[in-house]
Amino acid sequence: SSDLAPCINLKSWVQTLRPLTSKIKPLGPRDVLPNNRQLYEIILTYNFHQPKSGEVTPSCPLLCDLLYESEFDSQLWIIFDQNKRQMGSGDAYPHQYSVKLEKGDYTIRLQIRHEQMSELDRLKDLPFIVAHRMTSTLSLDVYESHSVALLGKKKVNSSTLPPKHSQPFFVTMLPDDKIPKGAGPGCYLAGSLTLSKTEMGKKAGQSAAKRQKKLKKDVVSVHYHLVPSPTKPKNGSKEKEKDTDKEKDIKEEFADALRDLKIQWMAKLDTSDLYNELKEAYPNHLPLYLARLQQLDSEKERMTRLKEIIEASNEVMSRIDQTALAVYAAMKTDPRPDAATIKNDIDRKSTR
């Protein structure tokens, strides 16, 4: 029998990159094979963001762990920071090349060589991955049965498995607040599953992995693929139901824009027809009466239209809540979240 204590530990998060640019060109005279076979290179450029200082391991999944047996002549990647300073480089064996980076934006340039341009052209959209080592290991909860896992009840601590028997285990989702910063859909968390309870059993599993030419010492590799996080309201407030009746559609926006344009043109026209038309359509729209007052007050023959100016002033005053204006003027500070908008509106009214 075997003593089991299944444990899944996730140690890094991995993001997949696509090249922003690709360029193929022939190499120099030093890169000509016998029988005048010309070597070509493709340079692929990738960008990524490092959300906080830490260690990264870049690799090209299609070509990693291949050297002399590779169909391509060579591969080489170099990381540069925003100032084009070289931060690190590597080739076919990613586990040998880890780079410590500070928070910021970085560029990776990957070179692959081959004697056929057509073969390099097939790699112009080649994915590239960057593994970010997490400062603390994340663990997934493991359960003995599906029903227990669904209810999130008793987790597996240890169990004994007789020879020639099998035991399924069930794993639940990682809490959303545990997802590392910067990781999102398209990324995955990488780690390992260990089953043995004893240190001797764990070492035996690692030795078996070495015999199978697995470069990592993990007993079983685990990839946890990330999904979109739940939508959360901004500023931590409770999500408010949208009032679709109050939302303006395109037609309403157009009507408002046309109304405002007509109000702007009122001062340029000598007739009152436009004002009368708008007054009938928007009888309570304060900017209309303010524009009418400005129109009359700025005319050359202003003295002959004092009666109309007074009437226009009365129209404006009747549509302003003077009590609310006085209350606002007496306030020392306005604690409301839209205080700036309210202040601009009040200032506009109080200066008329």
Side-chain angles (χ1 to χ4, degrees), residues 45-47 78-88 101 104-109:
T45 304
Y46 306 84
N47 288 348
I78 305 177
I79 296 183
F80 300 92
D81 65 7
Q82 289 179 299
N83 299 316
K84 299 184 178 180
R85 181 179 60 167
Q86 180 176 334
M87 306 302 296
L101 300 177
D105 296 317
Y106 294 88
T107 298
I108 296 177
R109 287 170 59 86

Side-chain angles (χ1 to χ4, degrees), residues 46-220:
Y46 306 84
N47 288 348
F48 73 97
H49 177 72
Q50 178 73 3
K52 63 178 181 179
S53 60
E55 186 178 288
V56 301
T57 302
S59 67
C60 179
L62 181 68
L63 303 174
C64 67
D65 300 334
L66 297 175
L67 191 58
Y68 300 112
E69 67 273 30
S70 175
E71 293 295 331
F72 292 89
D73 185 66
S74 66
Q75 56 175 299
L76 173 68
W77 56 261
I78 305 177
I79 296 183
F80 300 92
D81 65 7
Q82 289 179 299
N83 299 316
K84 299 184 178 180
R85 181 179 60 167
Q86 180 176 334
M87 306 302 296
S89 59
D91 55 20
Y93 301 109
H95 67 284
Q96 297 181 0
Y97 304 100
S98 294
V99 184
K100 291 184 178 180
L101 300 177
E102 298 297 324
K103 178 181 178 180
D105 296 317
Y106 294 88
T107 298
I108 296 177
R109 287 170 59 86
L110 172 66
Q111 181 206 51
I112 304 172
R113 304 193 304 175
H114 198 273
E115 58 183 287
Q116 296 292 334
M117 288 184 64
S118 59
E119 296 298 327
L120 294 176
D121 188 63
R122 293 173 56 243
L123 304 179
K124 61 183 180 180
D125 296 317
L126 182 67
F128 193 88
I129 66 173
V130 177
H132 304 255
R133 179 168 290 277
M134 295 185 289
T135 54
S136 58
T137 301
L138 298 176
S139 299
L140 294 177
D141 295 334
V142 183
Y143 300 86
E144 283 189 345
S145 69
H146 185 257
S147 59
V148 174
L150 285 175
L151 299 176
K153 290 187 176 180
K154 186 179 180 181
K155 293 180 285 187
V156 174
N157 291 323
S158 62
S159 62
T160 301
L161 188 66
K164 298 183 180 181
H165 281 68
S166 62
Q167 169 65 52
F169 292 106
F170 299 84
V171 182
T172 54
M173 291 179 58
L174 192 68
D176 292 300
D177 58 356
K178 298 292 184 181
I179 304 300
K181 183 179 179 181
C187 301
Y188 63 88
L189 307 181
S192 62
L193 164 67
T194 56
L195 292 172
S196 179
K197 184 178 180 180
T198 64
E199 289 299 322
M200 187 65 68
K202 294 178 181 179
K203 290 180 180 179
Q206 292 176 358
S207 299
K210 287 183 180 179
R211 288 195 300 271
Q212 296 171 12
K213 296 183 179 180
K214 293 181 180 179
L215 296 175
K216 294 183 178 180
K217 296 182 179 180
D218 299 337
V219 177
V220 179

